[in-house]
Amino acid sequence: MTVRRIVPDLTTASLADATAFYQDVLGLTVVMDEAWVATLADPQRPQAQLTLVTEDTTGPMNPEVSIEVTDVDAAYRKAVEAGAEIVYPVSDEEWGSGASSSGTRTGTS
């Protein structure tokens, strides 16, 4: 299993305002928009991304970071073995990738 990318997830009260801010200040473009969550990327370096989240109604808390790995099942097993509390189980999402969410052993996500 290898890490493909790590993206910060920022909670915001207004997706439209936060999106406009990062577009205006950093020149980022929207690469995914699901109404409650949007991912923006640098047009010259698309791997440089950030995700804006209003409220994740599919889980008990908003994520703080998204980590894409080559094998989500292996990552899930390792997280459980390391004592992470799984707050959102592995599932297929609208965008087609497996996803899971956990807190660290210190209780933060």
Side-chain angles (χ1 to χ4, degrees):
M1 173 195 69
T2 57
V3 174
R4 289 186 176 158
R5 66 186 173 124
I6 299 173
V7 179
D9 298 331
L10 308 177
T11 296
T12 180
S14 172
L15 195 59
D17 290 346
T19 298
F21 174 82
Y22 289 105
Q23 287 175 315
D24 294 344
V25 173
L26 299 178
L28 302 181
T29 59
V30 176
V31 295
M32 183 207 44
D33 185 352
E34 296 294 329
W36 62 273
V37 58
T39 299
L40 291 83
D42 184 309
Q44 303 303 314
R45 293 183 45 234
Q47 72 277 17
Q49 299 180 350
L50 67 86
T51 296
L52 304 170
V53 180
T54 53
E55 182 181 4
D56 184 350
T57 59
T58 64
M61 59 199 292
N62 281 352
E64 294 177 350
V65 65
S66 296
I67 303 171
E68 181 182 0
V69 295
T70 56
D71 186 342
V72 70
D73 295 319
Y76 180 88
R77 279 193 306 277
K78 284 186 171 191
V80 170
E81 290 168 3
E85 175 189 9
I86 305 301
V87 296
Y88 186 88
V90 174
S91 61
D92 291 326
E93 297 294 343
E94 298 170 15
W95 52 88
S97 61
S100 179
S101 182
S102 70
T104 65
R105 293 187 339 183
T106 61
T108 60
S109 59

